[in-house]
Amino acid sequence: MTKQQANWSPYDNNGGTCVAIAGTDYCVIAADTRMSSGYNILTRDYSKINQLADKSVLASSGFQADVRALQKVLAAKHLQYQHQHNKQMSCPAMAQLLSNTLYYKRFFPYYAFNVLGGLDHEGKGCVFTYDAVGSYERVGYSSQGSGSTLITPFLDNQLKSPSPLLLPARDAVTPLSESEAIDLVKTCFASATERDIYTGDKLEILIMNASGIRQEYMELRKD
Amino acid sequence: MEAVKQGSAAIGLRSKSHVVLACVNKANSELSSHQKKIFKVDDHIGVAIAGLTADGRVLSRYMRNECINYFYTYESQLPVGRLVVQLADKAQVCTQRSWKRPFGVGLLVGGLDEFGAHLYYNCPSGNYFEYQAFAIGSRSQAAKTYLERKFESFMGSSRENLIKDALFALRETLQGEKLTSSVCTIAVVGIGEAFHILDQETVQALINEFEIAGEEAAAPDQAAVDEPLAAADDQAAPGDEGAAPMDM
């Protein structure tokens, strides 16, 4: 008799892709709205983007139940912060909080692949990219999720972000204008949708700048 | 309790849709800043305290955490009526353990639930009552007398009139001193309006608008009534909620 293996997993991957690009005075965060399980589509209209604070927006792909639980924990922590400090959390502070929250569950992780976007205290765009257990880094752009392998090389080519290991420390934000960045994001997703079965349906874009936050949508291929 | 009676005054009033909390902010000396007596607990609940402000701060933190945890579990706002019961039970524990001391603070909790706006008063004893309008702290009897005359109109009052009545009641506790925005704090919560403390300019504008500077009292008999009543502070005078004895 062969050894019995556990065939129930507490995790599921709902697919999807998230992208964020940081500019000199804006930040663009985008994610598709398809939620899948295996070869099935669960819904074509599920938002993976959540605004955590005035200047911080989180986009997460992976297991959406864990993503939702993570968002709730962060929202509660943020409320406590506001009560204590009488102000909203800054994006770098939220970045550290997210990292700590993820590592807290190091031995039963949140199956969430996160990209945090926002504006720092100088008003410059900032993007933080994470792995499932909280390792993070501030970068000029990032992509996570099922389509990330298709999108990241393209962004590397277009945005030529300097390596964070170089000295003197170089600014990670892209010199592109806001509208150019939005077009770039739309191109990324249109391409990823072609080859990644888990990406498609609709693209949700959040643009953050000094005047506030606005949303844009774009239809993607539904197959 | 004595601690509550000696703290500076705090007043609350409510209509069907709004609650106004007002308090007197007297600094100990010219040099120091005044104490924070009104705390936001959640978007739909706020609290004004009188007595040992340190105890009040601790209880506010407890209330905030309760609201956050409730929202986390149920994804809806904690009804204020539930919160005051939890608060009262917490206070009661301290009255029945020999190694603890009661919280030396009275709390006026104003908040919303599905039925509308509510105002509660939580005593250090662990008792709590719902009120149409109430005042606690030193010289609160003067405010209570004013509120007793006017409370019947509060339920249907507009937001502006409610704030006006709060300012008038507050002026009563100042006993002739000039009412300016620097000595008082006003906070409002209502249906469709998150709990927030009004900033100084808004309050001063309202004081000017209602001409509540306070040179002469609203009614001449107030001055005569204040003196003897200030001594007999344990006059029970709740709102219209019946003969609930008030054990301040």
Side-chain angles (χ1 to χ4, degrees), chain A residues 68-69 72-73 75-77 79-80 83-84 86 110, chain B residues 36 40-42 61 64-65 68 71-75:
Chain A
R68 185 82 191 96
K72 285 172 72 151
V73 169
K77 292 270 179 69
L79 202 42
Q80 281 181 327
H83 280 141
Q84 275 191 323
N86 245 351
Y110 290 107
Chain B
K36 193 165 156 179
K40 172 169 172 170
V41 166
D42 203 349
R61 196 160 58 228
R64 284 170 177 167
N65 279 331
I68 289 175
F71 186 82
Y72 183 91
T73 315
Y74 300 103
E75 299 234 351

Side-chain angles (χ1 to χ4, degrees), chain A residues 66-77:
Chain A
D66 273 359
V67 167
R68 185 82 191 96
L70 179 63
Q71 287 169 355
K72 285 172 72 151
V73 169
L74 292 172
K77 292 270 179 69

